Amino acid sequence: MLSTQSRPVIEATLPIIAERISSITPNFYNRMFAARPDLLDGYFSRSNQKNGKQQQALAGSIAVFASHLLNNPDTLPETMLARIAHKHASLGIVEEQYPIVYEHLFAAIAENLGDALTPEIADAWSEVYWLMAHALIKIEKGLYAKQVNDHYYSLWTLTGREETAPGSVTFTFEPADDTPVTPAEPGQFISLRMPMADGVRQVRQYTLSGNVADTSRRTVTVKLDPNGEFTPILHTQLKVGDTIEISNPYGDLVIDHSGEPLVIATAGIGCTPSAAALATLAESNSQRSITVLHADQEADTWALRAQMVESVEKLPNATLTTWFERGELPTDVKSTAGLMNLNNAEFDPNSHVYLCGPLPFMHAVRGQALAAGIPAERIHYEVFGPDVWLAV
């Protein structure tokens, strides 16, 4: 918790820091990468730096953390910290890197606030930073300790690739060496790391999309971003037989094992965690009540249609309903034209609801699930890329 001397300072300065943090964070990243360009090699996404998502996510997390310390002095925002820690662990972030972030972040804060940054204010916000940093370090060390190997990355060989929809390819990898393989949970992701055209390694996280009970392989389904840096190389240059660096599996949004009813609502390529969960549940002959909801632009762009339909058919208590914005509606599944709408849906209040897709979709469906009587603590979500939900 905050010290007694820092608490009133944070209370007084949080509004201005929260207002300015979104302009402070770009300066911070510019400073850090100027001093440590090596951090762009294998750690930070250049694309997320250009589009501002990384800065937005950092700014939101700092403001939320400080607010939580004020409003809930005896606890920490565990959900937010866990989500950040899992992402950090998938990148191989270590304790020794936190002082680097501190140095350049507080230089950016000092430049922005100028003479208004008194020693008391600097000390109070330093305390906030290190409370957050030490909490993350503790979680990350725990995550590393749970792995069955001590590698941040190991080599995997591409053994299969299949275009599952226009612009979407499913990649299957198998171990390239004898590094022990950490089992994954449905809903978790892995980091793929490979060099770009200039030789600088970039990393992207992709949710596992196949049956995760099979530890002999990792399967991800990736949608091409024609304007991106990573996916064009992945789609056009990575060939069967090539090797790539892959992290251990991480991610706190995993399908619970309670046996209670499930509602899985996805849109677009956000269907990947749903596909993995359904394949894994089908493999274990699950008897759970499962409501699968998916929205897409049209039936042909649904990346994992065949796999999801097959899994649902194997699950005795699963149903599948779809929505498509345009094009002919499929006849093999229940489908409706337009956007997903759950306003008239009836759900068991004991259901766990999992959401994955674009932020506007998740905001809308979350509101509809709440209106349908699902408690907020039973609604879970996954954001692809930096988690900017808190900053929206």
Side-chain angles (χ1 to χ4, degrees):
M1 66 178 64
L2 277 171
S3 63
T4 54
Q5 63 267 30
S6 292
R7 182 178 179 82
V9 177
I10 298 302
E11 285 180 326
T13 58
L14 179 57
I16 189 169
I17 293 294
E19 178 183 348
R20 296 192 180 193
I21 194 67
S22 59
S23 60
I24 290 170
T25 49
N27 184 17
F28 149 66
Y29 280 113
N30 289 336
R31 285 174 171 273
M32 184 171 69
F33 293 139
R36 294 292 303 272
D38 58 296
L39 294 177
L40 281 170
D41 183 10
Y43 289 105
F44 288 89
S45 164
R46 294 189 291 200
S47 294
N48 287 334
Q49 292 300 313
K50 291 178 182 179
N51 62 30
K53 287 185 177 179
Q54 190 68 58
Q55 294 93 322
Q56 186 182 4
L58 176 62
S61 65
I62 292 172
V64 168
F65 185 80
S67 296
H68 187 97
L69 292 180
L70 294 177
N71 298 325
N72 305 275
D74 296 326
T75 66
L76 293 173
E78 300 291 350
T79 299
M80 183 190 78
L81 291 172
R83 191 148 295 168
I84 296 172
H86 277 271
K87 188 63 68 71
H88 282 183
S90 77
L91 296 169
I93 298 296
V94 294
E95 181 176 1
E96 291 75 16
Q97 291 167 325
Y98 280 88
I100 300 171
V101 172
Y102 173 80
E103 174 187 354
H104 298 290
L105 177 59
F106 274 76
I109 291 174
E111 181 178 320
N112 186 280
L113 295 183
D115 293 340
L117 184 65
T118 64
E120 292 77 16
I121 295 174
D123 288 346
W125 280 97
S126 292
E127 183 178 338
V128 169
Y129 174 84
W130 285 112
L131 282 171
M132 185 172 178
H134 289 312
L136 289 171
I137 290 167
K138 180 180 180 181
I139 299 172
E140 288 154 17
K141 286 183 175 180
L143 292 174
Y144 290 138
K146 291 179 180 178
Q147 306 304 325
V148 301
N149 60 66
D150 58 1
H151 294 60
Y152 298 126
Y153 290 90
S154 58
L155 290 177
W156 290 68
T157 300
L158 180 65
T159 58
R161 52 176 297 152
E162 177 187 2
E163 184 173 355
T164 52
S168 294
V169 175
T170 293
F171 298 88
T172 301
F173 301 92
E174 295 182 6
D177 55 31
D178 59 358
T179 302
V181 177
T182 300
E185 293 277 350
Q188 289 192 308
F189 58 83
I190 53 175
S191 288
L192 273 57
R193 185 166 73 176
M194 62 181 182
M196 300 294 98
D198 59 0
V200 174
R201 294 172 300 173
Q202 287 288 279
V203 184
R204 297 294 184 273
Q205 285 84 23
Y206 297 108
T207 302
L208 294 163
S209 60
N211 174 16
V212 300
D214 183 359
T215 58
S216 67
R217 62 188 61 194
R218 302 288 199 215
T219 302
V220 296
T221 302
V222 181
K223 184 176 181 180
L224 174 66
D225 177 1
N227 300 316
E229 180 179 27
F230 197 93
T231 61
I233 293 178
L234 188 64
H235 274 240
T236 64
Q237 298 184 25
L238 194 68
K239 299 177 176 60
V240 171
D242 290 346
T243 58
I244 189 172
E245 292 181 293
I246 295 181
S247 74
N248 288 305
Y250 292 98
D252 63 328
L253 185 70
V254 299
I255 299 298
D256 74 289
H257 301 287
S258 67
E260 294 177 320
L262 290 176
V263 178
I264 307 175
T266 61
I269 199 62
C271 67
T272 52
S274 175
L278 293 172
T280 306
L281 289 165
E283 181 69 18
S284 66
N285 298 312
S286 174
Q287 302 297 305
R288 295 180 74 168
S289 171
I290 306 170
T291 302
V292 184
L293 312 169
H294 181 68
D296 226 304
Q297 294 180 343
E298 54 187 281
D300 289 344
T301 63
W302 180 6
L304 291 164
R305 173 179 173 179
Q307 177 182 324
M308 292 175 66
V309 170
E310 180 182 359
S311 294
V312 169
E313 289 175 347
K314 293 179 179 178
L315 291 161
N317 297 308
T319 61
L320 172 62
T321 305
T322 59
W323 288 259
F324 300 99
E325 295 181 40
R326 59 178 183 268
E328 186 176 348
L329 297 178
T331 57
D332 59 332
V333 295
K334 181 181 179 181
S335 59
T336 302
L339 303 177
M340 186 182 295
N341 189 329
L342 308 181
N343 285 331
N344 296 318
E346 294 183 3
F347 299 123
D348 186 322
N350 294 316
S351 298
H352 282 278
V353 178
Y354 293 86
L355 311 176
C356 190
L359 275 177
F361 163 82
M362 291 196 293
H363 277 292
V365 175
R366 182 177 185 274
Q368 293 167 9
L370 288 170
I374 303 295
E377 65 271 17
R378 287 179 171 266
I379 303 175
H380 320 276
Y381 71 91
E382 178 66 277
V383 175
F384 289 168
D387 188 349
V388 296
W389 179 295
L390 294 171
V392 174

